[in-house]
C-alpha cells in the first residue's frame, strides 16, 4: 500500500510517497514557485541523486500533475502508474471547531473546510486548491484531510477563550485554535516512549521551532494549551511573524504611517519577528553568524527569542502542574544548539540540568537525543519531527476503519521498538 502525502502552500507543494508495507519512504520532494513563475520540482529518491526540473506551474493543478509525472517517470520515477497509489493525505492548516481528527474528504467535508478558510486566509485557500487539484488528477482514490488544529481541540474552554466580547466567538469563531498539531502529537508520543511512561502519565512541553514557531502544554497526553491562537501569528518570535505584542501597536502604527489594515497584516506576518529585529535575516544560522561577527541587532534577536522561549517553558510548567520533559523539534529546535542553550540557561531551579557538551553536539535531523545530564529531574530531548508519518498512519487507519482518538489509537511511533527509517 503506497500513500501519497501532500502539503500545499501558497506557492509550493511538498510531497512524500510512503510504502506502508515496507514502512519506508519511496520518494519525497517539493514543487516551488507555484503561481509566481519560474517554478521547478526537486525530487529525492533514497540512494539516487536529487533530480531537479524546471516546469511552469501557474496553479496547483499543474503542480500536482508535475508531481505525478515525476513519480511515474521512466528514469526518475518510483511507480509504474498512479494506480499503485492507495490514497492521498492532505495537510489542512485550519479546521476550526468542526474537526477534532483526520477525516475522509467528501463534498460535505470540503465545504466545511471552505467555510472556515477566513480563519486562515494565507493557508486554507492553497490547501483547498491542492485538494481539488489532487482530486482532479487522482479521482479514483480516497483523499484524507489531516488538520493542524485537530490535536489542540482538547484544550479546555478557559484556555481557548479570549477575554473579548463573547459574541465574537459565537458569531465569528474567534478563539485559540493552535497549529503544528501533527508535529506536537508525534514528538510528545516519542517523548513518552523515551521517558518509559504511557502518554496519559506524562506532562510534556513541546517546542516546534522553525520559521514558524509554536509550543504546546501537554498534560496527561493531551494538549491543554498552545501558543498560536486564532491564526499562526500569535505566540513566540518567529522568522517573519511578530508573535505576542501589545494589540494596540498595529492601530498606533496604522495611524502614524497611514497604512491600511491589509498592509499592517502583511508587516506583522511577513516583515516582523527575527527579520524585523535584524532587518535582513530570517534563517537563525545567519543570525548566529551575524551575532558572532559583532552585529548587535543579530545578538539582540537571539536574546529576545531565547527569553520568550524561556518564558513559555515557565508558564506552561505552571499551567500543567510540573513537567516531565521539554522537547525541541523542527529546523531550529533540532539544529540550533545555541538557541536551546540560551533558552534553558537559568532553569536549574525547575529541575532542568543541561549537559552543554551534549547539547552542542546535537545538531541532526535524524537522531533523537537527550541533552540533559543523567540525574536531571526534568529531561530535555531533541526529537526530529515526522509529520508525514502521522499523515500516513491516519490515512491507513481511516482506510482500514481502525482510526480512533490519538489517546486510544496505536501509532507505530508510540511503540518501544519503533525505529526511524
Amino acid at each position: 500500500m503506497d500513500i501519497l502525502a501532500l502539503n500545499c502552500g501558497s506557492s509550493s507543494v511538498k510531497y512524500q510517497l510512503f510504502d506502508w508495507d515496507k514502512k519506508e519512504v519511496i520518494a519525497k520532494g517539493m514543487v516551488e514557485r507555484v503561481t509566481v513563475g519560474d517554478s521547478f520540482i526537486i525530487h529525492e529518491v533514497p540512494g539516487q541523486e536529487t533530480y531537479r526540473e524546471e516546469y511552469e506551474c501557474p496553479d496547483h493543478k499543474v503542480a500536482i500533475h508535475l508531481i505525478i509525472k515525476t513519480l511515474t517517470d521512466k528514469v526518475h520515477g518510483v511507480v509504474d502508474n498512479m494506480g499503485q497509489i492507495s490514497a492521498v493525505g492532505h495537510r489542512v492548516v485550519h479546521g476550526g471547531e468542526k474537526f477534532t481528527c483526520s477525516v475522509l474528504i467528501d463534498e460535505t467535508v470540503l465545504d466545511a473546510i471552505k467555510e472556515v478558510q477566513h480563519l486562515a486566509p494565507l493557508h486554507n485557500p492553497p490547501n483547498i486548491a491542492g485538494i481539488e487539484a489532487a482530486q482532479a488528477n487522482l479521482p479514483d482514490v480516497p483523499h484524507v484531510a489531516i488538520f493542524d488544529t485537530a490535536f489542540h481541540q482538547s484544550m479546555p474552554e478557559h484556555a481557548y477563550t479570549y477575554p473579548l466580547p463573547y459574541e465574537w466567538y459565537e458569531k465569528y469563531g474567534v478563539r485559540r485554535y493552535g497549529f503544528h498539531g501533527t508535529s506536537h502529537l508525534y514528538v510528545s508520543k516519542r517523548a513518552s516512549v523515551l521517558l518509559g511512561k504511557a502518554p496519559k502519565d506524562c506532562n510534556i512541553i513541546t517546542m516546534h521551532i522553525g520559521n514558524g514557531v509554536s509550543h504546546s502544554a501537554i498534560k496527561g497526553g493531551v494538549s491543554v494549551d498552545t501558543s498560536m491562537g486564532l491564526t499562526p501569528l500569535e505566540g513566540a518570535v518567529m522568522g517573519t511573524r511578530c508573535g505576542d505584542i501589545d494589540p494596540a501597536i498595529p492601530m498606533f502604527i496604522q495611524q502614524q504611517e497611514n497604512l491600511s489594515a491589509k498592509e499592517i497584516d502583511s508587516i506583522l506576518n511577513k516583515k516582523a519577528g527575527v527579520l524585523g529585529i535584524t532587518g535582513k535575516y530570517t534563517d537563525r544560522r545567519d543570525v548566529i553568524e551575524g551575532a558572532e561577527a559583532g552585529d548587535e541587532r543579530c545578538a539582540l534577536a537571539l536574546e529576545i527569542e531565547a527569553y520568550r522561549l524561556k518564558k513559555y517553558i515557565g508558564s506552561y510548567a505552571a499551567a500543567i502542574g510540573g513537567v516531565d520533559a521539554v522537547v525541541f523539534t523542527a529546523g531550529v529546535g533540532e539544529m540550533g544548539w545555541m538557541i536551546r542553550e540560551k533558552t534553558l540557561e537559568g532553569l536549574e531551579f525547575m529541575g532542568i540540568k543541561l549537559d552543554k557538551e551534549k547539547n552542542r553536539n546535537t545538531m541532526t535531523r535524524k537522531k533523537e537525543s537527550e541533552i540533559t545530564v543523567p540525574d536531571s529531574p526534568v529531561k530535555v530531548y531533541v526529537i526530529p519531527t515526522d509529520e508525514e508519518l502521522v499523515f500516513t498512519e491516519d490515512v491507513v487507519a481511516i482506510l482500514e476503519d481502525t482510526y480512533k482518538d490519538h489517546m486510544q489509537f496505536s501509532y507505530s511511533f508510540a511503540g518501544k521498538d519503533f525505529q526511524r527509517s
Side-chain angles (χ1 to χ4, degrees):
M1 184 186 297
D2 294 342
I3 306 297
L4 178 63
L6 294 175
N7 182 350
C8 295
S10 58
S11 60
S12 68
V13 180
K14 296 179 183 178
Y15 65 93
Q16 177 176 286
L17 187 60
F18 192 89
D19 185 325
W20 178 249
D21 299 318
K22 295 181 179 179
K23 301 295 188 292
E24 62 185 22
V25 175
I26 303 173
K28 64 179 181 178
M30 177 187 294
V31 182
E32 298 198 46
R33 299 187 61 82
V34 180
T35 75
V36 298
D38 298 325
S39 44
F40 60 91
I41 188 171
I42 298 292
H43 178 69
E44 300 177 36
V45 177
Q48 298 182 18
E49 289 187 11
T50 299
Y51 171 66
R52 185 184 192 277
E53 180 187 357
E54 295 182 5
Y55 195 101
E56 206 59 42
C57 296
D59 55 39
H60 288 79
K61 186 174 182 178
V62 176
I64 301 289
H65 169 75
L66 174 59
I67 292 170
I68 293 172
K69 169 181 170 294
T70 306
L71 288 172
T72 57
D73 184 83
K74 291 183 179 180
V75 177
H76 306 287
V78 291
V79 294
D80 295 329
N81 59 74
M82 294 307 286
Q84 294 177 231
I85 307 298
S86 299
V88 182
H90 297 266
R91 180 197 184 198
V92 179
V93 168
H94 216 309
E97 290 185 314
K98 296 178 181 291
F99 300 103
T100 61
C101 59
S102 302
V103 295
L104 191 67
I105 299 173
D106 57 19
E107 188 174 344
T108 301
V109 168
L110 189 55
D111 286 343
I113 294 170
K114 291 178 179 178
E115 286 176 10
V116 297
Q117 64 181 314
H118 66 285
L119 298 176
L122 300 178
H123 298 85
N124 270 36
N127 295 161
I128 293 165
I131 291 171
E132 293 178 333
Q135 288 177 327
N137 280 282
L138 296 165
D140 300 322
V141 302
H143 294 258
V144 174
I146 298 93
F147 298 92
D148 267 23
T149 49
F151 179 67
H152 303 297
Q153 288 299 298
S154 53
M155 285 188 292
E157 189 175 16
H158 67 261
Y160 70 68
T161 303
Y162 287 116
L164 295 167
Y166 196 75
E167 59 265 27
W168 291 3
Y169 167 59
E170 295 175 310
K171 293 171 64 176
Y172 308 114
V174 175
R175 53 156 284 182
R176 180 179 306 281
Y177 290 98
F179 301 91
H180 297 136
T182 50
S183 178
H184 291 295
L185 185 156
Y186 177 85
V187 299
S188 64
K189 299 290 188 187
R190 290 302 306 150
S192 298
V193 173
L194 296 178
L195 288 166
K197 297 182 178 182
K200 66 180 179 62
D201 298 322
C202 295
N203 285 2
I204 297 169
I205 298 170
T206 51
M207 311 191 76
H208 179 108
I209 311 172
N211 189 44
V213 182
S214 72
H215 316 311
S216 185
I218 298 171
K219 183 174 184 177
V222 300
S223 174
V224 296
D225 204 352
T226 189
S227 57
M228 285 181 167
L230 173 72
T231 75
L233 184 60
E234 187 182 2
V237 176
M238 303 177 222
T240 64
R241 299 186 191 122
C242 61
D244 299 331
I245 60 170
D246 180 342
I249 292 173
M251 293 176 285
F252 173 75
I253 295 299
Q254 187 174 2
Q255 294 171 353
Q256 298 299 313
E257 297 285 334
N258 193 28
L259 299 172
S260 67
K262 186 175 181 180
E263 288 172 320
I264 285 290
D265 182 74
S266 178
I267 291 169
L268 297 180
N269 276 287
K270 299 178 180 179
K271 298 179 181 179
V274 172
L275 177 61
I277 300 164
T278 64
K280 51 191 171 184
Y281 299 130
T282 60
D283 191 313
R284 308 315 196 278
R285 291 168 295 188
D286 294 329
V287 178
I288 290 170
E289 286 182 12
E292 291 175 337
D295 188 314
E296 293 183 359
R297 282 167 63 180
C298 286
L300 177 61
L302 289 176
E303 294 298 332
I304 291 172
E305 179 163 28
Y307 175 66
R308 293 195 173 200
L309 294 173
K310 190 193 307 284
K311 288 205 297 181
Y312 265 105
I313 292 175
S315 65
Y316 279 179
I320 59 180
V323 58
D324 296 301
V326 175
V327 179
F328 288 88
T329 193
V332 179
E334 294 163 24
M335 302 294 289
W337 71 264
M338 182 181 290
I339 290 175
R340 294 194 303 259
E341 183 174 298
K342 286 180 175 292
T343 298
L344 299 172
E345 185 178 8
L347 295 184
E348 292 81 7
F349 77 97
M350 285 180 55
I352 296 176
K353 299 180 181 180
L354 180 67
D355 186 320
K356 290 188 176 182
E357 184 176 356
K358 279 185 182 179
N359 179 53
R360 294 186 181 202
N361 289 330
T362 299
M363 294 180 65
T364 177
R365 307 202 69 174
K366 297 181 179 181
K367 180 183 177 183
E368 298 173 345
S369 305
E370 180 184 339
I371 58 173
T372 37
V373 299
D375 66 345
S376 180
V378 176
K379 303 298 183 184
V380 180
Y381 299 116
V382 178
I383 301 178
T385 192
D386 196 338
E387 296 175 87
E388 289 79 9
L389 183 56
V390 179
F391 288 15
T392 301
E393 297 207 17
D394 281 6
V395 171
V396 171
I398 286 173
L399 293 183
E400 296 180 344
D401 198 27
T402 59
Y403 185 59
K404 300 176 182 177
D405 173 86
H406 75 88
M407 289 300 288
Q408 281 75 48
F409 183 64
S410 298
Y411 283 102
S412 68
F413 50 83
K416 295 179 180 179
D417 298 326
F418 173 76
Q419 296 289 327
R420 290 180 64 88
S421 61

